[in-house]
């Protein structure tokens, strides 16, 4: 899914020379951790050059179905496992023409539960990439895993990016 703001629906090219969109999401092929448990890796990208650079922005990400953010329940509250690369926020460095890690991600990310997170973008005029893993519960009734991100400005959804990962006959792929 592609979303554009402004008078024309055209993509912009960053310094790397590839086309980009204002707000988008993609998903990896299903992977297995060292213990053989299945997971998906998701990416959400926000390009500040497209619009809204004058607003404070958050990303609300909601999972559907049988997959969960990495972490555990403690005393009735979800506690994310922020270590081990499970959650990574990077900002676009225009001088370096590459993404660089944002330190202390815990300052910007909160979890309502194991299927909903809120990420406050640290700076208005910066492009970001947020990468994270979700653990999967596989059973014979699960045919896919859905994920919806919303870009929120001033308390209202500005854009959404939906992605669904389909499981078919033991083979899997990402779809828009």
């Amino acid at each position: 899914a592609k979303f554009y703001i402004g008078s024309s629906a055209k993509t912009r090219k960053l310094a790397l020379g590839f086309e980009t969109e204002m707000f988008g999401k993609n998903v990896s092929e299903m992977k297995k951790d060292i213990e053989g448990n299945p997971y998906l890796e998701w990416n959400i990208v926000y390009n500040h050059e497209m619009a809204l650079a004058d607003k404070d922005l958050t990303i609300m990400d909601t999972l559907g179905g049988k997959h969960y953010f990495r972490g555990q329940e403690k005393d009735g509250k979800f506690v994310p496992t922020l270590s081990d690369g499970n959650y990574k926020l990077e900002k676009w460095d225009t001088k370096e023409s590459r993404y660089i890690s944002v330190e202390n991600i815990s300052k910007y990310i909160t979890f309502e539960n194991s299927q909903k997170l809120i990420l406050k973008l640290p700076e208005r005029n910066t492009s970001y990439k947020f990468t994270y893993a979700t653990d999967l519960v596989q059973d014979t009734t699960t045919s896919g895993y859905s994920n919806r991100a919303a870009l929120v400005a001033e308390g209202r959804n500005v854009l959404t990016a939906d992605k669904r990962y389909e499981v078919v006959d033991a083979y899997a792929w990402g779809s828009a």
Side-chain angles (χ1 to χ4, degrees):
K2 291 184 187 249
F3 303 94
Y4 306 99
I5 299 294
S7 60
S8 66
K10 293 188 177 186
T11 57
R12 297 243 177 119
K13 290 195 178 198
L14 293 176
L16 290 177
F18 59 86
E19 291 187 346
T20 187
E21 57 196 347
M22 180 181 170
F23 186 63
K25 174 180 277 199
N26 62 50
V27 61
S28 69
E29 291 294 320
M30 188 182 300
K31 299 178 179 184
K32 300 243 180 191
D33 65 18
I34 196 162
E35 297 166 358
N37 300 313
Y39 72 96
L40 294 172
E41 186 175 88
W42 302 86
N43 291 294
I44 300 173
V45 177
Y46 167 69
N47 176 10
H48 84 281
E49 294 177 15
M50 297 302 284
L52 301 174
D54 62 335
K55 310 277 187 227
D56 287 333
L57 298 171
T58 57
I59 294 172
M60 293 181 57
D61 199 22
T62 305
L63 305 178
K66 297 180 178 182
H67 67 129
Y68 304 92
F69 294 114
R70 289 208 161 154
Q72 57 189 339
E73 294 287 330
K74 282 190 180 174
D75 301 322
K77 185 177 178 182
F78 179 73
V79 179
T81 305
L82 294 175
S83 60
D84 301 327
N86 292 321
Y87 304 91
K88 185 169 137 181
L89 180 62
E90 298 173 291
K91 67 180 184 176
W92 182 256
D93 185 313
T94 54
K95 291 179 185 173
E96 297 281 328
S97 294
R98 65 180 179 97
Y99 282 104
I100 58 171
S101 272
V102 173
E103 300 298 322
N104 299 321
I105 190 173
S106 61
K107 292 178 8 184
Y108 308 107
I109 189 171
T110 57
F111 291 80
E112 287 190 12
N113 54 49
S114 65
Q115 288 193 303
K116 186 171 185 179
L117 70 77
I118 300 167
L119 175 69
K120 182 176 184 334
L121 296 179
E123 299 170 28
R124 290 180 183 173
N125 296 315
T126 303
S127 296
Y128 289 95
K129 179 171 69 170
F130 180 51
T131 304
Y132 60 91
T134 60
D135 292 319
L136 309 180
V137 175
Q138 286 188 292
D139 60 33
T140 57
T141 64
T142 302
S143 63
Y145 303 92
S146 63
N147 187 333
R148 168 170 258 198
L151 184 64
V152 179
E154 298 177 344
R156 63 183 177 81
N157 288 7
V158 177
L159 298 170
T160 58
D162 295 306
K163 201 61 140 173
R164 183 168 173 81
Y165 185 89
E166 297 291 334
V167 178
V168 179
D169 295 329
Y171 297 99
W173 66 88
S175 65

